[in-house]
């Protein structure tokens, strides 16, 4: 593929890295991460090959929900720095060729936000209609309560004005009334403000809840009209800017948020279903569930994309699996109740779920980077960080980044008593898992992921191409190919610890081509009938490029 084409729609084969400023690096020694500290660590991301940073909320907040309860959409939380620090972070990232997107959390505000404080002061307040009120609580759907461990209703009574306000999440997060044109205009202003400071887009939080009918009034706008307008505003300001949507819905419902065939709404949507089926396949040592998900997945519109991931900042949700399937994954990767959350997910990171098996962990990340779509990493995944189950809820996986084996893991030089979020200990503590050590270890997970990123960027077919799930003849092996502009790449992954022999049929290819392994030395012949046979080791992973023998990438033995 032409580089000029792949760089035009930069996000189609980007490498996105999600980080929380509060837990990434402390630059002023107060025990809390900040922009000044993060600036000094951008080169770590640059060396890995990250092309886009996704910032979790950094706005002023009472911090009851890890920053998702916002009191000012136009500023930086003083604990994390200033607008000047933010601009400097943007400048340094841009200097390294790294784009930045940020969380857009406009489903709700904090109840301490000036808008809501004014709204609840009187029924005649100018901000009253910026929120959703009712004289009596509407019937609750228990399935609609996002945090069933903390909330038992979607409505909260306000004594002063004697009405109930709606909150899809916590009671201290009243939902904004997105039917109100003033609220819609304000959301556009928020986007415009941060784009002027350099953002290349936004990760839209909880997309299906942003515009939803919660009363009988029927006055909410069509959600797809709302997102089409939002995307149009974004594109007018910057044609290359994106919306990355958290849309955890069945495929038939989800594709509508792309804008169906037009692709004029959400630019990229997370593929929650493939992620969940991946864990089911891992639990069973059977590629079937993963293969089925990708066969079922609709094609994204031409200028849209799927975002793939194996871990994010929330619980590892398994809500799209059946009850029996979910229990299989729980039994394999989180059998203790303390490892589970909301009855639907796990609050663990991948390395601990896989028992620290390095071969298996590396195979899963190889799988991630070869899946059709744009890969998204959560900070610390590149070194195999673990969780701290002593922390409450989702906080278990949001511990400080581990840079060195020294005090506070190199996250902060403050007195340890000032670091508010404790790191894991034992086998996953910073003494054993840190960036500094892995940079020097040729067999480390960090250098493996760096290598995967390099090869992923060299194989735009994985992100741009037409993909086909292949039959490998072995239940535990997942194989697929991606074709684009006459080029073919093939990825094969063994989900079991047993060594196996694999044979795949490659329609359209014959003995005039060979398969050259991009991850390890080796060339595989293709028969005249288009079949290739090769071994796969324990949790093995192989990426092949099909080419003529004259143009095939060289094996190291050929150039020694």
């Amino acid at each position: 593929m032409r580089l000029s084409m792949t760089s035009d729609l930069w996000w189609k084969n980007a490498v996105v890295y999600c980080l929380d400023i509060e837990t990434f690096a402390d630059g002023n020694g107060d025990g809390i991460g900040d922009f000044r500290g993060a600036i000094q660590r951008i080169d770590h991301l640059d060396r890995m090959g990250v092309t886009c940073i996704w910032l979790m909320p950094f706005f002023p907040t009472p911090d009851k929900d890890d920053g998702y309860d916002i009191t000012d959409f136009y500023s930086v939380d003083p604990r994390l720095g200033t607008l000047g620090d933010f601009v400097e972070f943007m400048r340094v990232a841009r200097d390294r060729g790294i784009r930045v997107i940020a969380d857009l959390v406009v489903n709700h505000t904090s109840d301490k936000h000036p808008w809501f404080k004014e709204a609840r002061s009187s029924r005649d307040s100018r901000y009253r209609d910026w929120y959703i009120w009712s004289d009596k609580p509407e019937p609750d759907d228990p399935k609609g309560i996002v945090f069933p461990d903390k909330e038992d209703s979607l409505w909260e009574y306000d004594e002063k004005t004697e009405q109930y306000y709606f909150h899809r999440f916590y009671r201290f997060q009243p939902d904004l009334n997105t039917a109100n044109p003033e609220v819609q205009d304000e959301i556009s202003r928020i986007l415009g403000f941060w784009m002027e400071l350099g953002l290349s887009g936004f990760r839209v939080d909880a997309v299906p809840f942003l515009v939803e009918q919660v009363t009988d009034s029927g006055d909410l706008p069509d959600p797809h009209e709302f997102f089409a307008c939002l995307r149009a505003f974004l594109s007018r300001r910057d044609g290359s800017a994106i919306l990355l949507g958290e849309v955890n819905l069945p495929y038939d419902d989800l594709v509508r948020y792309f804008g169906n065939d037009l692709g004029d709404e959400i630019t990229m949507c997370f593929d929650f279903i493939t992620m969940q089926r991946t864990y089911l396949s891992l639990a069973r040592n059977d590629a079937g569930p993963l293969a089925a998900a990708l066969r079922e997945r609709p094609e994204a519109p031409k200028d849209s994309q799927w975002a793939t991931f194996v871990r994010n900042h929330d619980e590892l949700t398994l809500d799209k699996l059946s009850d029996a399937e979910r229990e299989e994954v729980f039994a394999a990767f989180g059998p203790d109740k303390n490892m589970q959350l909301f009855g639907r997910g796990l609050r663990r990171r991948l390395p601990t779920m896989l028992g620290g098996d390095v071969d298996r962990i590396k195979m899963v990340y190889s799988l991630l980077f070869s899946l059709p779509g744009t890969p998204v990493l959560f900070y610390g995944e590149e070194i195999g960080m673990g969780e701290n189950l002593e922390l409450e809820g989702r906080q278990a996986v949001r511990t400080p980044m581990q840079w060195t084996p020294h005090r506070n893991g190199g996250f902060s030089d403050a007195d340890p008593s000032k670091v508010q979020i404790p790191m894991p200990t034992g086998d996953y503590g910073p003494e054993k898992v840190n960036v500094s050590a892995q940079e020097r270890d040729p067999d480390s997970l960090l250098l493996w992921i760096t290598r995967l990123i390099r090869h992923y960027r060299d194989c735009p077919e994985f992100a741009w191409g037409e993909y086909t799930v292949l039959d490998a003849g072995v239940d535990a092996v997942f194989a697929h190919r991606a074709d684009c502009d006459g080029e073919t790449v093939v990825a094969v992954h063994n989900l079991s610890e047993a060594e196996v022999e694999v044979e795949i049929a490659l329609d359209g290819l014959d003995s005039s081509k060979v398969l050259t392994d991009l991850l390890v030395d080796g060339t595989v012949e293709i028969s005249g009938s288009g079949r290739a046979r090769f071994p796969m080791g324990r949790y093995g992973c192989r990426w092949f490029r099909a080419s003529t023998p004259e143009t095939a990438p060289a094996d190291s033995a050929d150039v020694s």
Side-chain angles (χ1 to χ4, degrees):
M1 293 187 67
R2 298 189 312 275
L3 186 61
S4 57
M5 180 179 179
T6 60
S7 63
D8 186 27
L9 299 180
W10 62 269
W11 38 268
K12 269 217 167 185
N13 64 328
V15 177
V16 182
Y17 185 96
C18 172
L19 66 87
D20 185 354
I21 291 294
E22 184 177 356
T23 58
F24 200 61
D26 173 16
N28 63 4
D30 65 354
I32 300 171
D34 48 45
F35 276 104
R36 293 189 180 186
I39 289 168
Q40 303 307 315
R41 296 296 188 178
I42 286 180
D43 278 347
H44 164 68
L45 306 182
D46 184 38
R47 287 191 295 270
M48 282 174 57
V50 168
T51 64
C52 178
I53 297 170
W54 155 23
L55 296 176
M56 291 172 62
F58 53 82
F59 314 99
T61 172
D63 210 26
K64 291 184 177 180
D65 184 23
D66 202 25
Y68 284 87
D69 49 326
I70 296 169
T71 57
D72 183 357
F73 291 101
Y74 295 99
S75 190
V76 173
D77 191 289
R79 299 172 306 139
L80 311 183
T82 65
L83 277 174
D85 295 328
F86 171 84
V87 170
E88 184 66 9
F89 177 90
M90 297 296 298
R91 187 200 67 79
V92 174
R94 183 174 63 247
D95 180 66
R96 271 67 174 172
I98 300 175
R99 296 174 185 262
V100 182
I101 65 174
D103 263 320
L104 180 69
V105 188
V106 289
N107 312 69
H108 47 66
T109 69
S110 165
D111 60 3
K112 305 300 182 185
H113 195 293
W115 299 341
F116 188 69
K117 291 168 72 174
E118 176 65 24
R120 74 192 312 181
S121 68
S122 165
R123 291 196 186 192
D124 298 324
S125 165
R126 63 164 294 222
Y127 287 104
R128 185 69 175 182
D129 211 27
W130 283 42
Y131 297 86
I132 301 168
W133 300 88
S134 179
D135 288 329
K136 61 180 181 179
E138 305 290 330
D140 283 331
D141 176 4
K143 294 181 180 179
I145 298 174
V146 175
F147 301 121
D149 63 328
K150 299 292 184 182
E151 302 291 344
D152 57 11
S153 174
L154 301 175
W155 296 89
E156 183 70 9
Y157 186 65
D158 179 62
E159 293 185 358
K160 183 170 184 179
T161 57
E162 298 181 325
Q163 279 189 313
Y164 294 83
Y165 63 83
F166 179 78
H167 60 91
R168 171 63 69 182
F169 295 83
Y170 293 111
R171 67 189 66 190
F172 54 79
Q173 292 170 324
D175 273 37
L176 283 164
N177 177 16
T178 51
N180 186 333
E182 291 185 356
V183 173
Q184 296 176 26
D185 289 345
E186 191 69 29
I187 292 173
S188 294
R189 276 191 287 273
I190 293 167
L191 267 66
F193 176 84
W194 292 105
M195 291 176 72
E196 287 298 312
L197 295 183
L199 287 186
S200 293
F202 302 85
R203 176 262 185 185
V204 188
D205 187 53
V207 167
F209 296 145
L210 186 51
V211 182
E212 57 176 336
Q213 190 67 52
V214 296
T215 70
D216 295 330
S217 60
D219 58 355
L220 278 180
D222 180 276
H224 303 290
E225 180 180 334
F226 174 86
F227 286 114
C229 289
L230 206 62
R231 174 76 175 276
F233 174 86
L234 195 77
S235 298
R236 289 196 301 272
R237 294 295 179 92
D238 179 356
S240 67
I242 66 163
L243 297 175
L244 170 58
E246 182 188 25
V247 191
N248 184 11
L249 293 173
Y251 283 138
D252 289 345
D253 297 323
L254 186 153
V255 292
R256 297 178 60 202
Y257 286 91
F258 280 128
N260 291 321
D261 295 336
L262 293 176
D264 61 351
E265 295 183 31
I266 303 297
T267 319
M268 294 201 295
C269 290
F270 284 106
D271 187 356
F272 280 89
I273 292 175
T274 291
M275 179 275 291
Q276 295 182 44
R277 298 277 188 86
T278 296
Y279 279 95
L280 184 59
S281 281
L282 292 172
R284 292 178 175 178
N285 297 322
D286 180 355
L290 172 58
L294 286 175
R295 288 190 176 108
E296 295 165 9
R297 190 174 80 173
E299 186 176 349
K302 180 180 178 182
D303 290 342
S304 302
Q305 181 62 300
W306 292 100
T308 58
F309 65 107
V310 294
R311 198 64 186 90
N312 64 8
H313 61 294
D314 290 331
E315 78 277 6
L316 180 74
T317 184
L318 303 168
D319 66 320
K320 295 299 181 289
L321 300 180
S322 69
D323 291 345
E325 290 170 339
R326 191 179 307 113
E327 289 302 321
E328 283 186 67
V329 179
F330 281 167
F333 303 130
D336 296 342
K337 287 295 183 183
N338 187 41
M339 299 172 177
Q340 303 166 18
L341 194 61
F342 309 137
R344 64 175 184 243
L346 291 164
R347 57 194 207 101
R348 308 191 75 194
R349 283 183 177 255
L350 179 72
T352 57
M353 287 191 281
L354 301 188
D357 189 320
V358 175
D359 290 341
R360 198 178 188 191
I361 295 166
K362 287 183 175 181
M363 180 274 294
V364 172
Y365 285 109
S366 170
L367 178 62
L368 168 65
F369 280 95
S370 66
L371 287 174
T374 297
V376 181
L377 291 171
F378 183 44
Y379 78 92
E381 281 194 275
E382 71 271 29
I383 57 172
M385 278 174 49
E387 71 279 350
N388 183 353
L389 292 175
E390 294 182 2
L391 298 176
E392 184 178 2
R394 303 171 172 193
Q395 291 301 120
V397 300
R398 301 178 183 178
T399 56
M401 184 66 179
Q402 298 169 196
W403 297 102
T404 73
H406 308 305
R407 186 162 86 166
N408 301 320
F411 162 73
S412 172
D413 60 9
D415 185 286
S417 64
K418 290 186 177 181
V419 179
Q420 298 177 2
I421 306 173
M423 296 179 179
T425 57
D427 289 342
Y428 294 93
E431 298 81 10
K432 295 189 177 181
V433 177
N434 63 78
V435 172
S436 177
Q438 293 197 23
E439 284 180 331
R440 294 161 174 79
D441 179 359
D443 296 321
S444 70
L445 181 60
L446 173 59
L447 294 193
W448 173 250
I449 287 182
T450 302
R451 185 178 179 186
L452 290 174
I453 290 174
R454 183 175 72 250
H455 288 304
Y456 166 75
R457 297 287 292 176
D458 287 340
C459 296
E461 295 86 357
F462 282 136
W464 285 77
E466 178 181 349
Y467 69 89
T468 307
V469 177
L470 304 174
D471 181 4
V474 180
D475 289 345
V477 174
F478 176 74
H480 72 287
R481 64 185 284 181
D483 298 270
C484 190
D485 291 347
E487 297 288 334
T488 299
V489 291
V490 178
V492 187
H493 292 85
N494 181 7
L495 307 188
S496 78
E497 60 181 354
E499 296 182 0
V500 295
E501 190 79 12
V502 171
E503 185 174 33
I504 55 176
L506 298 168
D507 294 343
L509 300 180
D510 56 31
S511 56
S512 66
K513 299 286 184 71
V514 295
L515 298 178
T516 303
D517 199 319
L518 302 177
L519 300 181
V520 298
D521 278 346
T523 299
V524 174
E525 304 290 335
I526 302 175
S527 71
S529 61
R531 303 189 74 83
R533 188 176 181 85
F534 48 87
M536 294 290 295
R538 176 185 187 273
Y539 298 123
C541 43
R542 305 189 73 172
W543 293 13
F544 297 106
R545 178 169 290 283
S547 55
T548 63
E550 295 77 17
T551 60
D555 288 342
S556 63
D558 297 333
V559 296
S560 60

